[in-house]
């Protein structure tokens, strides 16, 4: 057992802290996706190696050797300073890693740089009205006509489709193949004729996701990642990346600290909330759970450093992390009583209304990216080696 | 950076588990529970009692994490043994208190002397109990003394001072108490101006002893809960209903997944708490309290859920699952139940006015 990262890394941590402290006033706070503040901050972070750190220079990254601990230190320091750590989004967190793994040289050149810089915004077109948890049953079709794929069908829950320049999209190209083998992974511009976007308002009151309709959308033949029929494999490489980034315990820890501050400042009958033993016990229950997941996270990190797979310890992170975060945000609301109801323009808002919006947002993350129930299927079948459910014959 | 067990620690784990697979099989646990007796002589041959005894006093001078690994194995096998008191809490008390204890250390290290612990006055005196001291003598009653079949007792008074009392001391009466857990010996000690050796007046010494003991009980629960989960998964793969293994029913699968999802982080948490006790003094108490509280909650869930996965069989004496159920229940109550410990964790970070 050795928790120190070593002197070389402590120097790096100091540098990171210094960078954050001397530049934090330039960090964007809630400005729009392509605002100058956001684009400049992203540029600054890449130039200094705090974003796109290990992506080759040739593709617009910083070009450092992969170093798990340095990446980790960056994540820890930005989270604890509560400073914007650069662009996330599905393009950067999902598409870029996939292109690096399976994209052609041309695709890497064309897409990675502008995506990293925030100039090219992506949306993810996977889910359909009839294909959610059972994603492989998707029906949006693409048929090859000459040099073009012709796409017809509908996607749903497409986050940020209304702001996106491009979409990475799963479509069925081999209707006669078994369902997992008939899917392809296409990239196309959202300005292509035949795409219609209808915003869907979510429970937080924001229209962040959409229904996306495709009618004879014509896509150049080469805008496919991987081979025809390999889309499921390509997509699964990405889902791994997505799950790893959900329920990150570093961010949860900084939320826990904010919750403690809240409970030290808010009062009931003149008494601080933290001085109420029942509220305090609930806070301590959450702190215990946060601590357990932080320790688990260290174990997973250490196994990555050793090139081993922490299996169950890794598989449970999305389930436990998102559920914990939802409970943490919910506790803040509970201890505030009626004050916890404030929303939107209410003058009595606490912490800019983040407790209610995060409480709901994390319910969305419990559902999105593989629901909690699907996670439990995965944990039991792959982690505990329990028998799969018998297949149900398709009623015809 | 290395978060995990070393080669030596894996070896220790394998050797203790190997011994207990045989010496503390369910069949043998049943016999020991009925007739008395424990596996301490065998563990002594393996050197377990010497783990935390300083090398200068003839011990192995190993870490809290090494001890936690052994505690986990004992929990997994519901092994009857005075490990927590004899191999952990008393050695930690002697080490923290300072002074010359070489001869007692030597007797502990060989397994010749067994210790019991009466520490409830240090964290929460219950009605009908309470210890006062007068110079070098003790009066009052201690209830639920852990590892009761002992040669020497470590006792806390109501001032958080610690004492050593010989089992043959004058004016000491001992009465064993039955609890749900037959793999642990507990009892009641009554002192009336009983001669005692004052070991320490420093509350920090008592705290170090409690921190270590709590981590051991948490580790014991980790082992017991992992065993209950493994048994549930195994049973669910074998048992058939409606012409299919019950493990293919999603309700059953999800019960198992929830157990695994709760338990997996507990392993890292126990490792971290043990490590913190030796190397991160600022976090030691808070972490120990949280770890025992959290493991108690997860353990309770698993004790119930694993039993349910077994159906009626889980409720019988036949499969013996109840030994683990009761072991987890015992660990939860001793040395502070979750609510008390969470309050102590809050106090340790100055959150209590
Ligand atoms: C905030 C948010 C953002 C999203 N963004 C995107 C996006 O950008 N792009 C995109 O493509 N998709 C996106 N999604 C969609 C998301 O991936 C799906 O909602 C999710 O996979 C679940 O599918 P579904 O909504 O069809 O629910 P369903 O699959 O219909 O599930 C309904 C219920 O049935 C349960 N269930 C289903 N199958 C099983 C099973 N085999 N075993 C046990 N229980 C089962 C589920 O757990 C759930 O409780 C987003 C979703 C949310 C909430």
């Amino acid at each position: 057992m050795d928790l120190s990262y070593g002197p070389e890394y402590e120097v790096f941590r100091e540098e990171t802290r210094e960078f954050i402290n001397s530049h934090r006033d330039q960090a964007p706070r809630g400005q729009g996706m392509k605002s100058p503040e956001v684009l400049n901050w992203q540029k600054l972070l890449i130039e200094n190696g705090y974003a796109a750190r290990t992506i080759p220079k040739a593709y617009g990254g910083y070009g450092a050797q992969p170093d798990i601990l340095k990446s980790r230190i960056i994540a820890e320091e930005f989270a604890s300073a509560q400073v914007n750590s650069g662009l996330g989004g599905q393009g950067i967190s999902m598409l870029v890693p996939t292109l690096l793994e399976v994209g052609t040289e041309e695709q890497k050149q064309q897409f990675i740089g502008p995506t990293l810089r925030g100039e090219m915004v992506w949306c993810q077109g996977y889910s359909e009205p009839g294909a959610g948890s059972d994603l492989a049953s998707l029906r949006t079709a693409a048929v090859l006509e000459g040099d073009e794929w012709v796409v017809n069908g509908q996607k749903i829950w497409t986050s940020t489709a209304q702001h996106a320049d491009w979409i990475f999209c799963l479509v069925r190209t081999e209707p006669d193949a078994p369902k997992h083998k008939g899917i392809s992974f296409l990239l196309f511009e959202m300005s292509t004729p035949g795409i219609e976007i209808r915003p869907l308002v979510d429970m937080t009151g924001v229209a962040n996701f959409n229904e996306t309709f495709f009618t004879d959308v014509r896509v150049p033949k080469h805008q496919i990642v991987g081979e025809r029929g390999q889309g499921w494999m390509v997509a699964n490489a990405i889902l791994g990346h997505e799950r790893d980034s959900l329920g990150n315990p570093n961010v949860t820890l900084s939320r826990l600290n904010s919750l403690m501050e809240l409970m030290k400042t808010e009062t009931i009958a003149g008494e601080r909330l933290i001085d109420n033993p029942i509220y305090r016990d609930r806070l301590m229950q959450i702190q215990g759970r946060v601590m357990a997941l932080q320790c688990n996270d260290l174990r997973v990190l250490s196994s990555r450093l050793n090139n081993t797979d922490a299996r169950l310890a890794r598989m449970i992170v999305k389930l436990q992390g998102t559920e914990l975060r939802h409970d943490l945000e919910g506790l803040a609301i509970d201890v505030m009583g009626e004050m916890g109801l404030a929303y939107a323009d209410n003058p009595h808002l606490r912490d800019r209304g983040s407790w209610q919006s995060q409480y709901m947002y994390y319910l969305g993350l419990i559902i999105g990216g593989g629901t909690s129930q699907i996670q439990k299927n995965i944990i039991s079948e792959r982690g505990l080696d329990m028998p799969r459910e018998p297949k149900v014959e398709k009623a015809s | 950076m290395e978060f995990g067990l070393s080669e030596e620690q894996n070896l220790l784990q394998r050797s203790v588990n190997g011994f207990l697979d045989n010496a503390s099989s369910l069949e043998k646990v049943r016999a020991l529970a009925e007739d008395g007796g424990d596996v301490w002589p065998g563990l002594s041959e393996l050197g377990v009692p010497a783990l935390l005894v300083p090398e200068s006093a003839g011990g192995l001078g190993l870490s809290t994490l090494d001890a936690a690994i052994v505690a986990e194995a004992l929990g997994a096998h519901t092994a009857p043994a005075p490990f927590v008191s004899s191999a952990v809490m008393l050695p930690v008390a002697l080490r923290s208190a300072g002074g010359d204890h070489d001869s007692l250390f030597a007797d502990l290290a060989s397994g010749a002397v067994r210790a019991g612990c009466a520490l409830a006055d240090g964290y929460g005196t219950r009605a009908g109990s309470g210890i006062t001291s007068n110079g070098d003598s003790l009066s009052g009653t201690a209830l639920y003394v852990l590892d009761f079949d002992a040669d020497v007792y470590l006792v806390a008074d109501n001032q958080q001072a610690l004492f050593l009392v010989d089992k043959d001391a004058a004016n000491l009466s001992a009465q064993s108490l039955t609890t749900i857990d037959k793999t642990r010996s507990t009892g009641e000690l009554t002192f009336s101006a009983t001669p005692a050796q004052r070991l320490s007046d420093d509350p920090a010494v008592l705290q170090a002893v409690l921190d270590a003991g709590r981590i051991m009980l948490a580790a014991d629960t980790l082992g017991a809960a992992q065993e209950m989960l493994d048994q549930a998964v195994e049973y669910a793969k074998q048992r058939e209903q409606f012409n299919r293994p019950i493990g293919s029913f999603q309700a059953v699968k999800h019960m198992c997944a929830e157990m695994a999802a709760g338990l997996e982080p507990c392993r890292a948490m126990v490792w971290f708490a043990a490590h913190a006790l030796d190397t991160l003094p600022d976090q030691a108490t808070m972490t120990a309290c949280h770890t025992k509280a959290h493991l108690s909650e997860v353990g309770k869930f698993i004790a119930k859920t694993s039993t349910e996965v077994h159906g009626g069989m889980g409720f019988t004496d036949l499969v013996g699952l109840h030994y683990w159920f009761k072991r987890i229940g015992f660990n939860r109550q001793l040395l502070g139940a979750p609510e008390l410990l969470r309050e102590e964790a809050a106090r340790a970070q100055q959150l209590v006015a």
Side-chain angles (χ1 to χ4, degrees), chain B residues 314-338:
Chain B
F315 191 67
T316 62
D317 180 44
L318 210 62
V319 293
L321 207 59
H322 65 90
Y323 281 100
W324 285 271
F325 183 98
K326 291 166 183 170
R327 184 100 173 182
I328 291 169
F330 185 95
N331 291 342
R332 183 180 169 98
Q333 306 306 115
L334 256 277
L335 302 183

Side-chain angles (χ1 to χ4, degrees), chain B residues 37-42 44 49 80-83 85-87 90 104 107-117 146-154 165-167 185:
Chain B
D38 60 26
V39 299
W40 201 232
S44 301
F83 174 77
S85 298
S86 308
L90 183 52
L104 181 50
D107 287 341
L108 285 170
S110 68
V113 161
R114 294 156 181 258
C117 283
L146 178 61
D147 299 322
F148 189 64
D149 292 331
D151 305 299
V152 58
Y153 295 105
L154 179 67
V165 179
D166 196 275
K167 80 160 191 302
S185 73

Side-chain angles (χ1 to χ4, degrees), chain B residues 50 187 233:
Chain B
V233 169

Side-chain angles (χ1 to χ4, degrees), chain A residues 90 124-129 131-134 156-159 209 364-365 367-374 377 389, chain B residues 250 254:
Chain A
Q90 287 156 326
Q124 172 203 22
Y126 288 7
S127 305
E128 297 181 3
S133 299
D134 183 13
I156 193 169
W157 320 127
T158 332
S159 302
F209 51 33
L365 289 191
I367 296 167
T371 67
S372 282
Q373 292 68 38
I374 295 297
N377 291 350
E389 273 187 89
Chain B
Q250 215 173 52
H254 284 198

Side-chain angles (χ1 to χ4, degrees), chain B residues 145-209:
Chain B
V145 175
L146 178 61
D147 299 322
F148 189 64
D149 292 331
D151 305 299
V152 58
Y153 295 105
L154 179 67
V155 183
D157 74 358
N158 60 358
Q159 304 295 313
Q160 302 196 299
L162 284 171
F163 299 82
L164 288 175
V165 179
D166 196 275
K167 80 160 191 302
D168 298 321
N171 307 328
L172 174 67
S173 79
Q175 172 70 50
S176 86
L177 295 173
T178 305
T179 70
I180 49 155
D181 184 3
K182 289 185 179 170
T183 68
R184 254 67 170 269
S185 73
T186 49
E188 177 172 350
L189 291 175
T190 310
F191 305 87
S192 32
T194 306
Q197 180 192 341
R198 188 177 283 264
L199 192 62
S200 148
D201 289 326
D202 182 356
V205 175
L206 173 65
Q207 190 65 58
V209 171

Side-chain angles (χ1 to χ4, degrees), chain B residues 88-320:
Chain B
V88 178
M89 289 204 284
L90 183 52
V92 168
L94 298 177
R95 267 177 9 199
S96 312
D100 178 8
H101 303 291
D102 281 3
S103 107
L104 181 50
F105 267 139
D107 287 341
L108 285 170
S110 68
V113 161
R114 294 156 181 258
C117 283
L119 303 175
D121 267 24
Y123 58 87
T125 309
R126 299 279 167 174
S129 68
I131 310 279
T132 55
S133 67
N134 184 358
D136 279 342
S137 77
L138 297 177
S139 294
T141 302
L143 291 175
Y144 301 101
V145 175
L146 178 61
D147 299 322
F148 189 64
D149 292 331
D151 305 299
V152 58
Y153 295 105
L154 179 67
V155 183
D157 74 358
N158 60 358
Q159 304 295 313
Q160 302 196 299
L162 284 171
F163 299 82
L164 288 175
V165 179
D166 196 275
K167 80 160 191 302
D168 298 321
N171 307 328
L172 174 67
S173 79
Q175 172 70 50
S176 86
L177 295 173
T178 305
T179 70
I180 49 155
D181 184 3
K182 289 185 179 170
T183 68
R184 254 67 170 269
S185 73
T186 49
E188 177 172 350
L189 291 175
T190 310
F191 305 87
S192 32
T194 306
Q197 180 192 341
R198 188 177 283 264
L199 192 62
S200 148
D201 289 326
D202 182 356
V205 175
L206 173 65
Q207 190 65 58
V209 171
L210 288 174
D211 289 347
R214 286 164 176 169
I215 291 170
M216 294 308 131
L217 292 183
D220 195 280
T221 290
L222 171 66
Q226 181 71 57
E227 177 63 25
M228 286 193 89
L229 166 59
D230 293 348
Q231 287 195 28
V233 169
E234 211 35 56
Y235 187 80
K237 288 180 192 170
Q238 311 289 336
R239 166 80 176 162
E240 293 196 0
Q241 285 291 279
F242 302 95
N243 300 318
R244 49 193 264 213
I246 57 165
S248 67
F249 293 112
Q250 215 173 52
V252 175
K253 271 203 280 217
H254 284 198
M255 283 197 272
C256 293
E258 283 164 15
M259 288 192 270
L263 189 60
E264 202 55 31
C266 287
R267 180 171 307 281
M269 192 182 200
V270 166
W271 289 351
F272 179 80
H275 181 69
L277 199 65
D278 293 343
T279 58
L280 305 166
D282 295 351
Q283 298 179 41
T285 295
M286 176 181 89
T287 310
C289 289
H290 265 315
T291 301
K292 181 170 185 280
H294 186 71
L295 268 287
S296 297
E297 303 291 20
V298 174
K300 184 178 180 179
F301 170 72
I302 292 177
K304 168 174 184 272
T305 309
S306 169
T307 306
E308 276 187 74
V309 168
H310 285 77
M313 199 53 92
F315 191 67
T316 62
D317 180 44
L318 210 62
V319 293

